[in-house]
Amino acid sequence: MIKIDQITKSFGQLEVLKGISTEIGKGEVVAIIGPSGSGKSTLLRCINLLEVPTSGQIIINGQAITDPKANVMQIRQQIGMVFQHFHLFPHMTVLNNLTYAPIKVKGMSKDKAEQKAKELLARVGLSDKADAYPSRLSGGQKQRVAIARSLVMEPQIMLFDEPTSALDPEMVKEVLDVMKGLADSGMTMAIVTHEMRFAEEVADRILFLDGGRLVEDAAPADFFQRPQSERAKQFLEKVR
Amino acid sequence: MDWNFDQIVPYIPFIFEGIKVTLQVTLISVVLGFIWGSVLALIKISKLGPLNWFAVAYTSVFRGTPLILQLSFVYFATPQLTGYSISQWEAAVLTFTLNSAAYISETIRGGILAVDKGQWEAAKALGVPYRRMMLDIILPQGVKNILPALVNETIALLKESALVSTIGLADILQNANVVRGVTFRYLEPYIIAGVLYYVMVMLLTWVARFVERRMRRSD
């Protein structure tokens, strides 16, 4: 479904990604882990072109999205993204946060968008917050709204960029539970995370990045029990 | 001191009539100036080459020359330039719109750049096209950031609108001037005019606080 072929990304002199290739299959859940500065987030952000790769190709469903002629807006509509700091629109109610893009971008009718939004709010357990403004929500609630906001666009792929890193510890679970439910429903997901236990439990595959290179690409059981590289061993010792 | 309001009393309604003109010029100019200033700000941010250059030069010229000169230029030079005999009112509104847009555009530009970059990214990630993103997501938040600055701009404009008396438009100050000419009294008409301006500024400040509170509803 997603084919990443030898992508590199440089910010000025700094080469953050040094030629990464991998594939993510339909319905697959991939956790991207590694030390900070390893290029995890940059890799994720390349998939919806928030960062444009310096070289290499990304092909989604047979379409080269890195082609300069590709319709970026169209591509992004099919890829949901959840950020570390939520980035809900603060001047809109929760409901309007959800219905804005379907109505204004996809041309969905207001009634249909609201109906869909309410279904999704129910799914993330926040039906009672439809008319609240984001500032009234806790971090965990904001993140669940952010997930619902992405889902209402009916994406084929969901990207998560450290979705629980900015949350208080007691709110991490409610967000991970929603993500787990999403994974179980067959959504294709790429997740940058520091939640090792979650990665081990939910992901189908682990990508371990270090210094802009893909060091390991393995099933969770293999990666966590029998890491191949010295770098991954060191990393796992520190985080567990 | 020689106070004598008795002589002035019959003229007080005449001075009050100037309020309408002062308010009209101020409010219309600030609204049009806000719209034109928003356009300029969006152009400055978008890096559209020649348009960008125009917006920067425009702002520079209008901020770099005296307002009273701009007003005189528009009123007296427009007929010579275009053959159109511009009215005092048109010249006043046009000048104040063009001038305030220059100032407001810089304020709005600052407000837009102060919006969290995450908001841009969230909108982009949802596939929102640039124009919609600016109008629906970024601009409303940017304007909220700069609301106090916009009110200050309106208050400044209200006071500066007294300059229209120099082209003979019958605002508060001009009518006070007329009363001075008729009665040969200086102190009283200007005190009345001063009080009127002051009260209007205070009212605006009060309205601004109310609007600001309403807009902060979502915090």
Side-chain angles (χ1 to χ4, degrees):
Chain A
M1 182 170 207
I2 307 175
K3 188 171 187 299
I4 295 169
D5 187 17
Q6 281 300 324
I7 64 165
T8 67
K9 174 69 186 178
S10 300
F11 295 103
Q13 293 292 313
L14 185 71
E15 195 176 30
V16 180
L17 298 178
K18 298 171 180 164
I20 289 190
S21 301
T22 189
E23 284 186 42
I24 300 174
K26 189 166 171 48
E28 203 173 13
V29 177
V30 173
I32 304 169
I33 64 179
S36 55
S38 59
K40 310 181 293 285
S41 287
T42 306
L43 173 62
L44 193 76
R45 290 159 60 85
C46 282
I47 299 176
N48 71 348
L49 296 175
L50 280 184
E51 305 292 354
V52 178
T54 308
S55 69
Q57 257 199 330
I58 298 177
I59 298 166
I60 296 180
N61 289 334
Q63 187 195 6
I65 65 165
T66 39
D67 186 328
K69 291 191 292 273
N71 184 340
V72 178
M73 295 301 151
Q74 204 101 50
I75 292 160
R76 285 180 179 150
Q77 285 172 38
Q78 296 162 34
I79 307 175
M81 181 148 192
V82 174
F83 300 87
Q84 181 177 0
H85 294 286
F86 332 123
H87 302 326
L88 297 178
F89 304 132
H91 58 304
M92 299 182 189
T93 62
V94 165
L95 190 67
N96 289 342
N97 262 278
L98 266 66
T99 56
Y100 173 75
I103 294 172
K104 292 290 168 67
V105 179
K106 272 192 155 178
M108 200 184 279
S109 74
K110 190 164 180 277
D111 287 346
K112 190 164 175 239
E114 285 189 356
Q115 187 200 334
K116 260 193 80 69
K118 282 175 180 163
E119 279 169 27
L120 280 160
L121 281 179
R123 187 161 150 196
V124 300
L126 290 171
S127 293
D128 55 327
K129 299 291 184 193
D131 296 322
Y133 281 93
S135 57
R136 295 269 163 214
L137 306 180
S138 71
Q141 291 170 333
K142 281 182 195 165
Q143 196 60 298
R144 284 186 280 154
V145 171
I147 294 172
R149 179 176 68 175
S150 290
L151 290 177
V152 79
M153 292 293 279
E154 298 175 324
Q156 300 180 28
I157 300 160
M158 284 287 287
L159 309 176
F160 293 84
D161 191 2
E162 302 195 24
T164 58
S165 298
L167 299 179
D168 290 337
E170 74 267 28
M171 289 166 185
V172 170
K173 188 173 177 299
E174 63 191 69
V175 171
L176 292 183
D177 284 346
V178 169
M179 290 169 62
K180 208 178 290 177
L182 199 56
D184 290 342
S185 75
M187 176 64 77
T188 308
M189 294 161 71
I191 308 164
V192 171
T193 186
H194 295 296
E195 297 286 333
M196 294 304 145
R197 209 179 315 153
F198 176 77
E200 189 166 8
E201 196 181 326
V202 176
D204 300 310
R205 246 170 70 215
I206 306 289
L207 304 183
F208 177 74
L209 264 63
D210 185 48
R213 292 181 204 285
L214 182 55
V215 179
E216 297 209 26
D217 181 345
D222 292 334
F223 176 77
F224 286 104
Q225 306 313 322
R226 294 172 291 280
Q228 300 296 305
S229 63
E230 213 35 57
R231 195 65 193 83
K233 278 177 201 161
Q234 287 169 3
F235 177 76
L236 287 173
E237 269 166 32
K238 275 186 199 145
V239 297
R240 281 199 296 204
Chain B
M1 232 175 21
D2 177 24
W3 290 88
N4 186 357
F5 275 92
D6 293 351
Q7 221 185 322
I8 295 298
V9 168
Y11 295 102
I12 286 179
F14 177 69
I15 297 178
F16 270 62
E17 271 172 36
I19 294 176
K20 204 178 122 197
V21 170
T22 294
L23 275 182
Q24 260 181 359
V25 169
T26 304
L27 295 180
I28 295 176
S29 301
V30 96
V31 169
L32 294 180
F34 176 75
I35 295 168
W36 178 220
S38 302
V39 173
L40 287 171
L42 291 173
I43 290 173
K44 283 185 213 169
I45 281 167
S46 64
K47 304 183 181 94
L48 284 171
L51 267 180
N52 192 298
W53 184 87
F54 163 78
V56 171
Y58 176 97
T59 308
S60 174
V61 168
F62 274 92
R63 295 206 303 179
T65 54
L67 179 53
I68 192 166
L69 180 134
Q70 295 163 17
L71 183 63
S72 305
F73 186 89
V74 169
Y75 182 57
F76 296 113
T78 300
Q80 189 188 334
L81 270 173
T82 64
Y84 175 68
S85 125
I86 194 166
S87 73
Q88 294 157 331
W89 192 88
E90 287 165 342
V93 169
L94 182 62
T95 308
F96 283 99
T97 297
L98 295 178
N99 181 275
S100 68
Y103 285 90
I104 290 175
S105 74
E106 277 301 289
T107 312
I108 293 177
R109 194 178 72 94
I112 287 175
L113 293 180
V115 174
D116 180 10
K117 266 196 75 77
Q119 294 291 312
W120 303 65
E121 294 196 339
K124 282 186 199 166
L126 286 166
V128 180
Y130 184 84
R131 204 179 67 89
R132 284 241 77 96
M133 171 177 77
M134 293 310 287
L135 288 178
D136 299 338
I137 311 289
I138 305 299
L139 207 52
Q141 295 184 60
V143 169
K144 191 173 143 183
N145 289 344
I146 57 163
L147 202 64
L150 285 179
V151 174
N152 283 338
E153 175 63 23
T154 309
I155 290 172
L157 201 65
L158 178 85
K159 291 182 288 180
E160 282 167 359
S161 75
L163 285 177
V164 302
S165 61
T166 63
I167 58 169
L169 190 60
D171 75 331
I172 296 172
L173 181 60
Q174 175 62 6
N175 286 3
N177 285 336
V178 169
V179 174
R180 179 200 68 189
V182 175
T183 61
F184 299 106
R185 299 210 63 89
Y186 299 83
L187 189 65
E188 297 84 353
Y190 288 135
I191 284 183
I192 291 169
V195 168
L196 283 182
Y197 279 111
Y198 185 75
V199 168
M200 282 159 62
V201 168
M202 287 302 114
L203 279 176
L204 254 182
T205 312
W206 181 80
V207 168
R209 265 193 219 132
F210 175 76
V211 173
E212 207 180 329
R213 254 205 311 272
R214 265 195 66 95
M215 281 194 74
R216 299 219 178 274
R217 197 171 42 160
S218 58
D219 287 351

